[in-house]
Amino acid sequence: VQLVESGGGSVRPGETLRLSCTVSGDGGSANCMGWFRQAPGKEREGVAGIESDGSTSYADSVKGRFTISQDDAENKLYLQMNSLKPEDTAMYYCLADRSISGRLCYTRLWNSPYNYRGQGTQVTVS
């Protein structure tokens, strides 16, 4: 399974970006998928997740601004980011995992030994 993120870039505060994650291989059977971000000098943060039943969850820091969605037909995961702030600047990673599920599963994605993770896409807001 391979995950490849795209859509990052440099924008001004208040602007919008849409991140995409293309999943190849047998990643379509993931029970949990999500986005994490890592900024220099800051703790890694789970941003949003989506479960196999379509339920979504968000970190408080992005709730109301970011939307996670998936297109099963295209094997893609998206993160729509509106009203971007300088504190959203980070490397954004897409993750998927078959072994974990349930509410807020995305918070456990990074530390799962069975996860699949992309190389990341940089988002800079300034």
Side-chain angles (χ1 to χ4, degrees), residues 40-60:
K42 292 187 178 180
E43 201 169 309
R44 186 184 306 119
E45 179 184 26
V47 174
I50 187 165
E51 299 158 34
S52 56
D53 66 355
S55 301
T56 57
S57 302
Y58 300 91
D60 287 343

Side-chain angles (χ1 to χ4, degrees), residues 20-53:
S20 298
C21 174
T22 301
V23 182
S24 59
D26 193 21
S29 60
N31 287 322
C32 186
M33 297 187 73
W35 293 90
F36 269 71
R37 65 186 180 186
Q38 177 81 66
K42 292 187 178 180
E43 201 169 309
R44 186 184 306 119
E45 179 184 26
V47 174
I50 187 165
E51 299 158 34
S52 56
D53 66 355

Side-chain angles (χ1 to χ4, degrees), residues 89-120:
T89 295
M91 184 71 79
Y92 284 71
Y93 298 90
C94 168
L95 292 93
D97 197 302
R98 299 189 186 99
S99 70
I100 57 176
S101 61
R103 189 173 177 271
L104 298 177
C105 65
Y106 79 97
T107 60
R108 306 191 297 275
L109 277 171
W110 193 277
N111 291 326
S112 169
Y114 306 107
N115 70 33
Y116 300 100
R117 188 177 78 212
Q119 293 299 307

Side-chain angles (χ1 to χ4, degrees), residues 1 5 7 12 24 28 33 39 42 63 72 82 100 103 113:
V1 177
E5 302 94 338
R12 298 199 179 276
S24 59
M33 297 187 73
K42 292 187 178 180
K63 204 170 289 183
D72 291 335
N82 299 333
I100 57 176
R103 189 173 177 271

